[in-house]
Amino acid sequence: MRACLCGEDTRPQDRSWLADKMVIIKSCFSSMLNRDHHNAGQRDGIMDMESSRTNGGAEITTYDSLDVSLGQSRRNIYIASKCWAVYVMLAEWFEREGETELACQAAEQAARCASTVMSGVEEDGTIPAILDGESVSRIIPAIEGLVYPYAAGLFDVYGKESPYAGYISALKEHLEKVLVPGVCLFAGRVAVIVDKHQLLVQQNLFESVCR
């Protein structure tokens, strides 16, 4: 779904696919909301609940083999960044499709997610990998979600007047603080340029793990 949301403006077939899958997309959105919290009043924009499909187990991230900080999905800022991106893109898409109420819900979730992540910023400017009050690990994949709205053509998201300017600024500072020798395991192998109209990622940025 994320891939098609990114490409719908440039690939008409993706827009058609999205329209045909509206029921499924709404179901996925509902699942995201419930895995934040089934009680709307307690949602903070990031994943707090495990899927019932784990049958008492726990969901992991795609980078779980790299470090324990990337194993747990719940309250993981890497997963949070991707949720933020999907909420931002769904808000735009739902609005375009005339689903005003869903668009508002998605926008609210994007704002909640951004706020929750920013609330985790510590005195040194970094953000713990897991927002549980105990994590001491720091991860670069926290910024991964920033690329998706850009790929979808939502450039205003990155402007200084954007409601997400503080969120993006917090992630930028986080990256600058961890992407240094002695902190990052791969500091010499990554190059990043981020501004309103440019997001360049080189040499396996999102596979780097910081401690």
Side-chain angles (χ1 to χ4, degrees):
M1 180 174 73
R2 189 173 63 247
C4 284
L5 284 170
C6 283
E8 66 159 329
D9 285 334
T10 55
R11 295 190 298 237
Q13 65 270 29
D14 285 343
R15 184 175 177 80
S16 175
W17 183 91
L18 282 167
D20 289 342
K21 299 296 187 292
M22 174 66 87
V23 172
I24 296 175
I25 292 171
K26 287 181 178 180
S27 179
C28 289
F29 179 52
S30 178
S31 177
M32 289 181 69
L33 294 177
N34 287 327
R35 285 158 76 187
D36 180 345
H37 203 285
H38 56 84
N39 184 334
Q42 296 188 48
R43 291 173 184 158
D44 62 3
I46 68 176
M47 178 183 167
D48 287 286
M49 305 289 184
E50 306 285 0
S51 168
S52 60
R53 293 179 180 273
T54 63
N55 194 28
E59 294 184 60
I60 59 176
T61 81
T62 52
Y63 297 134
D64 67 289
S65 63
L66 291 177
D67 188 79
V68 66
S69 62
L70 285 163
Q72 176 180 317
S73 289
R74 285 181 295 105
R75 303 199 67 78
N76 191 300
I77 60 172
Y78 157 55
I79 297 299
S81 78
K82 298 175 84 170
C83 288
W84 170 82
V86 171
Y87 287 137
V88 167
M89 291 186 292
L90 281 177
E92 172 74 14
W93 186 66
F94 281 143
E95 185 68 34
R96 188 180 305 169
E97 296 299 312
E99 298 284 351
T100 305
E101 183 176 349
L102 292 179
C104 289
Q105 279 188 295
E108 288 173 357
Q109 281 296 102
R112 289 188 183 115
C113 181
S115 178
T116 298
V117 172
M118 286 190 292
S119 73
V121 176
E122 300 202 338
E123 291 184 1
D124 64 356
T126 64
I127 309 170
I130 309 292
L131 297 178
D132 61 357
E134 300 178 2
S135 177
V136 296
S137 297
R138 304 294 186 265
I139 56 174
I140 290 176
I143 73 167
E144 180 172 333
L146 294 179
V147 74
Y148 300 116
Y150 181 88
L154 304 181
F155 304 125
D156 288 346
V157 167
Y158 307 95
K160 292 182 179 180
E161 302 303 319
S162 166
Y164 308 114
Y167 171 68
I168 294 172
S169 177
L171 290 180
K172 181 176 184 293
E173 182 176 7
H174 168 80
L175 180 65
E176 291 173 343
K177 293 296 177 63
V178 299
L179 197 59
V180 295
V183 178
C184 181
L185 300 181
F186 308 99
R189 297 168 51 194
V190 182
V192 182
I193 301 174
V194 181
D195 63 25
K196 183 177 180 181
H197 296 297
Q198 189 172 31
L199 179 53
L200 173 64
V201 182
Q202 300 176 341
Q203 301 183 14
N204 302 320
L205 169 62
F206 302 132
E207 294 180 9
S208 299
V209 179
C210 298
R211 300 185 191 279

